[in-house]
Amino acid sequence: MCTLTGRTELELLALTLFDITHPDDRDTDRDALARIARGELQPYATEKRYVRPDGTTVWVRLTANPVYDADGHVVCLSAVVEDLTARKHADAVLREAERRQQFLLHLSDALRELSHPIELQQTATRLLGEHLGVNRVHYADVEGEEFVVRCAYAHGVAPLSGRSRIERLGGPSVSALQDSVTTVVHDVATDPRLTDAERARMRAVRIGAGVRLSLVREGRLVAGFAVNQIAPRVWTPGEIALIEQVAERVWHEGERLRGAQERRTHSACLVAL
């Protein structure tokens, strides 16, 4: 139990079951203990969470049997605790992967019939924003040393659009990038990589957490993609991978649509001649 809960034996002896139990699981434990005391429940088996001193949680399976005195009164519980954290994590990763695949299929269906890059950006940013439950998603083309946002998804905040100098957004110089870069910020207020000026700019537009992707092709920055929200958020590896996949898809599909438009324009010019 000491290793599982992150506490010493003396610390555990000074605490109650409820002190180390996750707040959302305490009522279930209280109800079970009351039923055990009344002789209505034995043994008691449940899956629950313990909270460690650092705030992290561990999942366990608790099986408790009452121990009685000579008069038949419950004096204590004999419990077996099994660590389920690894299994719960694996289950969560699998569920997230399944949701991600379902979303990508839905995105493919939605983008298939579109014929203009702006429609593509509008649809992809909206669907991703709704799927992740975030406040903003935007795609930016690169023109010279500027990001140009022509459309964006926003929920509960003002959308970010227009032109911005790349370095002003905390991005590296266009000439300095050789590969695509993903920057993940879980909490703007505490991220040590941010300068005071960057933190102030992000707070001014109500960004508390975000994922930003700089797309590079053949050593050239070609696009930016950003997802952010008001409150801090611990972005999961699956969420980050999905954002990267969507950004790549928007760029590839946008290039395909622009190429098709150029071919149609060229054909029309030939016909006119």
Side-chain angles (χ1 to χ4, degrees):
M1 280 292 288
C2 293
T3 301
L4 191 61
T5 62
R7 292 176 169 86
T8 66
E9 183 176 353
L10 287 176
E11 288 173 329
L12 286 175
L13 289 172
L15 299 171
T16 69
L17 173 68
F18 303 114
D19 291 329
I20 62 174
T21 296
H22 191 282
D24 292 345
D25 298 333
R26 290 172 186 167
D27 286 344
T28 301
D29 279 349
R30 287 192 183 95
D31 178 67
L33 290 176
R35 293 177 62 195
I36 289 173
R38 294 194 300 266
E40 300 172 359
L41 178 67
Q42 61 169 323
Y44 168 48
T46 188
E47 292 184 2
K48 56 175 288 183
R49 289 158 292 181
Y50 288 143
V51 182
R52 288 173 166 161
D54 62 3
T56 59
T57 59
V58 290
W59 276 95
V60 300
R61 178 185 289 113
L62 171 70
T63 305
N65 288 280
V67 176
Y68 301 95
D69 62 14
D71 297 322
H73 299 122
V74 177
V75 291
C76 65
L77 296 176
S78 173
V80 176
V81 179
E82 177 187 358
D83 188 356
L84 300 180
T85 305
R87 195 201 77 188
K88 289 287 187 178
H89 176 71
D91 290 345
V93 169
L94 179 60
R95 287 194 301 271
E96 186 177 31
E98 291 172 345
R99 286 186 67 236
R100 184 165 69 247
Q101 188 59 38
Q102 290 172 355
F103 171 78
L104 289 172
L105 291 173
H106 176 52
L107 180 66
S108 295
D109 291 340
L111 300 184
R112 187 172 294 118
E113 303 302 321
L114 301 181
S115 58
H116 195 282
I118 297 300
E119 290 181 312
L120 175 79
Q121 294 175 21
Q122 289 175 330
T123 301
T125 55
R126 176 180 59 81
L127 290 178
L128 181 62
E130 292 172 348
H131 176 76
L132 293 177
V134 296
N135 295 106
R136 285 194 193 94
V137 182
H138 64 257
Y139 178 91
D141 294 308
V142 172
E143 295 181 2
E145 291 282 342
E146 293 182 321
F147 277 134
V148 183
V149 179
R150 294 186 169 88
C151 64
Y153 167 83
H155 177 72
V157 294
L160 299 180
S161 59
R163 294 176 175 269
S164 298
R165 298 289 294 179
I166 292 171
E167 67 271 15
R168 186 176 182 277
L169 298 177
S173 168
V174 171
S175 61
L177 283 169
Q178 296 299 319
D179 296 297
S180 295
V181 176
T182 301
T183 304
V184 179
V185 176
H186 302 295
D187 189 346
V188 167
T190 60
D191 194 308
R193 297 168 299 174
L194 297 174
T195 65
D196 290 341
E198 289 170 338
R199 215 182 306 276
R201 282 198 297 268
M202 296 174 82
R203 284 173 173 164
V205 291
R206 303 182 70 191
I207 297 177
V211 178
R212 185 181 65 214
L213 180 64
S214 300
L215 287 171
V216 175
R217 292 294 177 273
E218 298 179 355
R220 181 173 63 92
L221 179 64
V222 295
F225 195 84
V227 175
N228 57 64
Q229 65 177 47
I230 298 171
R233 174 169 177 161
V234 178
W235 304 96
T236 69
E239 289 172 337
I240 296 167
L242 178 61
I243 292 168
E244 291 172 337
Q245 287 176 289
V246 173
E248 293 281 354
R249 183 166 298 187
V250 171
W251 183 81
H252 280 292
E253 288 298 309
E255 289 298 291
R256 181 183 65 80
L257 292 178
R258 275 186 282 269
Q261 285 180 331
E262 290 174 0
R263 288 190 294 273
R264 286 194 297 269
T265 301
H266 181 66
S267 298
C269 291
L270 292 178
V271 169
L273 292 175

